[in-house]
């Protein structure tokens, strides 16, 4: 899949993946979901975002996790 709403610019936000060239990192959006916020709450907090931005941010994060191993603590 080609991401049309996720941009990476080395001269903006340190090159972290952001939504549509805005200074809103994908990690911020995904973190808001992780904290229990709903779509409408996130959109209210960031009026420049659209529902499609949120969906693509989650998909981007899912793909990023698939592409690398993350260290996990074992019990």
């Amino acid at each position: 899949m080609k991401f049309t709403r996720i941009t990476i610019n080395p001269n903006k936000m340190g090159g972290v993946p952001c939504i549509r060239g805005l200074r809103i990192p994908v990690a911020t959006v995904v973190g808001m979901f992780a904290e229990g916020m709903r779509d409408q709450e996130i959109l209210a907090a960031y009026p420049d975002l659209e529902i499609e931005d949120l969906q693509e941010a989650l998909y981007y994060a899912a793909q990023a996790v698939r592409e690398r191993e993350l260290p996990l603590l074992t019990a």
Side-chain angles (χ1 to χ4, degrees):
M1 172 184 183
K2 181 178 179 185
F3 295 97
T4 59
R5 293 177 170 268
I6 309 298
T7 56
I8 298 173
N9 181 341
N11 299 316
K12 191 183 277 188
M13 298 294 290
V16 301
C18 291
I19 309 292
R20 290 186 290 116
L22 301 170
R23 293 181 181 275
I24 305 171
V26 170
T28 298
V29 173
V30 174
M32 293 171 90
F33 277 114
E35 291 171 2
M37 292 181 75
R38 303 284 186 203
D39 294 354
Q40 293 308 315
E41 293 172 303
I42 297 170
L43 294 173
Y46 290 95
D48 290 333
L49 293 180
E50 301 169 354
I51 190 70
E52 294 84 6
D53 297 326
L54 305 184
Q55 294 165 341
E56 192 159 308
L58 289 174
Y59 188 71
Y60 181 88
Q63 293 301 313
V65 171
R66 274 193 193 100
E67 294 299 321
R68 68 174 71 182
E69 259 182 64
L70 299 175
L72 300 176
L73 297 177
T74 57

